[in-house]
Amino acid sequence: MHRKKLVAANWKMNLSPGQGQDLVKRIKSKLPENLNCEVIIAPPFVYIASLTALLEGSPIQSGAQHCHTESSGAFTGEISADMLSQLGVRYCLVGHSERRQLFQESNDFIRGKVDVILKNHMVPIFCCGEPLEIREKNGQNDFVRKQLEDSLFHLKADVIQQVVIAYEPIWAIGTGVTASPDQAQEMHAYIRSVLEANYGDQVSTEVRILYGGSIKADNAAVLFSQPDVDGGLVGGAALDPDGFLAIIQAGNS
């Protein structure tokens, strides 16, 4: 089965309003004419409304970096999935390693976020991945499997097929170190095997698994050429229009 490649930009906490608008305009103006991969931009919350309007009429879809598990209430500073959905957001990151590490988001909390994202007709991009000390002990498979089991495997087969999984080795995020194509393929194939064991062949074949971890213009094509790598979750390189366009081109080929 052919899985459509997906290239998602996570701007994190970067760019001024003007810089964000300029970046989107430049990417829009130079997109490949025959775009056959999906492209998502997840800016900081405060830019979502203006950038969603700017993206209207283009094939690029808007995403969010985070949401809360509750739909409303006394949660100062938080944003609900319902609010995002009403702004036209289509995708929402969940379980990013920075949220897990810096904000102590547990597997259970992430599970609640997955549910509320789906309830509001958005697609969760579920991030999983191991830190360096786990990789050095060769414990990455068990570590990632537990993340999947705790936060995703309560979903029924027809629902989990809607989820996008992003494997992000924590040791390769923002470090300039990238998992080798073989390392990425090995983990993606393992994730697919865990999906197959729990949900069967159809689900494991349909779910898209992205790679996230220092993707750049010069390594995107070889990473995306791996049979179980279905695109990328792009951090720093997404802030450079030419670099991000080159990554989109790699996903488009």
Side-chain angles (χ1 to χ4, degrees):
M1 176 189 167
H2 174 72
R3 293 181 298 270
K4 193 172 189 178
K5 289 280 197 294
L6 191 158
V7 178
N10 176 14
W11 287 3
K12 307 189 180 185
M13 194 175 72
N14 290 299
L15 304 180
S16 69
Q19 288 171 330
Q21 296 240 350
D22 288 345
L23 179 55
V24 167
K25 287 174 183 173
R26 288 182 65 182
I27 292 166
K28 271 179 61 178
S29 69
K30 294 183 178 180
L31 277 178
E33 282 188 21
N34 299 313
L35 188 67
N36 58 20
C37 67
E38 284 189 69
V39 180
I40 301 158
I41 293 177
F45 286 121
V46 288
Y47 305 157
I48 284 176
S50 60
L51 291 186
T52 300
L54 193 58
L55 292 171
E56 197 169 343
S58 87
I60 304 173
Q61 300 184 79
S62 60
Q65 299 176 19
H66 161 65
C67 70
H68 197 272
T69 56
E70 299 297 326
S71 58
S72 63
F75 302 98
T76 299
E78 288 293 328
I79 291 95
S80 74
D82 179 58
M83 294 172 183
L84 295 172
S85 180
Q86 290 190 50
L87 285 176
V89 171
R90 177 75 182 115
Y91 290 84
C92 187
L93 301 182
V94 57
H96 192 283
S97 59
E98 289 159 6
R99 298 295 315 178
R100 294 176 187 266
Q101 292 182 308
L102 301 176
F103 302 99
Q104 289 79 53
E105 290 191 4
S106 67
N107 287 350
D108 284 347
F109 185 65
I110 291 163
R111 169 181 169 145
K113 287 169 68 168
V114 167
D115 289 344
V116 78
I117 291 166
L118 288 163
K119 180 183 173 185
N120 283 278
H121 311 293
M122 294 184 293
V123 176
I125 300 179
F126 176 82
C127 303
C128 57
E130 78 284 355
L132 183 60
E133 61 268 23
I134 297 292
R135 166 68 67 160
E136 287 176 338
K137 295 175 184 173
N138 203 33
Q140 63 270 18
N141 287 6
D142 289 344
F143 188 90
V144 169
R145 188 182 70 245
K146 181 165 174 54
Q147 290 178 320
L148 295 167
E149 288 174 348
D150 288 358
S151 302
L152 284 189
F153 284 2
H154 64 291
L155 299 173
K156 294 180 179 177
D158 62 330
V159 178
I160 201 167
Q161 284 177 211
Q162 303 168 38
V163 176
V164 174
I165 295 173
Y167 169 62
E168 40 162 29
I170 296 170
W171 46 272
I173 297 173
T175 60
V177 177
T178 310
S180 70
D182 287 346
Q183 286 174 317
Q185 168 57 25
E186 182 180 43
M187 180 54 86
H188 283 230
Y190 174 71
I191 291 170
R192 213 173 290 288
S193 75
V194 175
L195 287 167
E196 183 176 10
N198 283 269
Y199 290 98
D201 180 63
Q202 182 180 345
V203 169
S204 68
T205 302
E206 289 190 7
V207 170
R208 289 182 291 181
I209 307 173
L210 313 182
Y211 173 77
S214 296
I215 294 182
K216 300 181 181 68
D218 60 3
N219 63 22
V222 67
L223 284 164
F224 293 175
S225 70
Q226 303 304 308
D228 288 298
V229 177
D230 303 316
L233 178 58
V234 188
L239 303 175
D240 167 54
D242 294 331
F244 189 57
L245 283 159
I247 295 169
I248 292 171
Q249 191 63 60
N252 205 44
S253 57

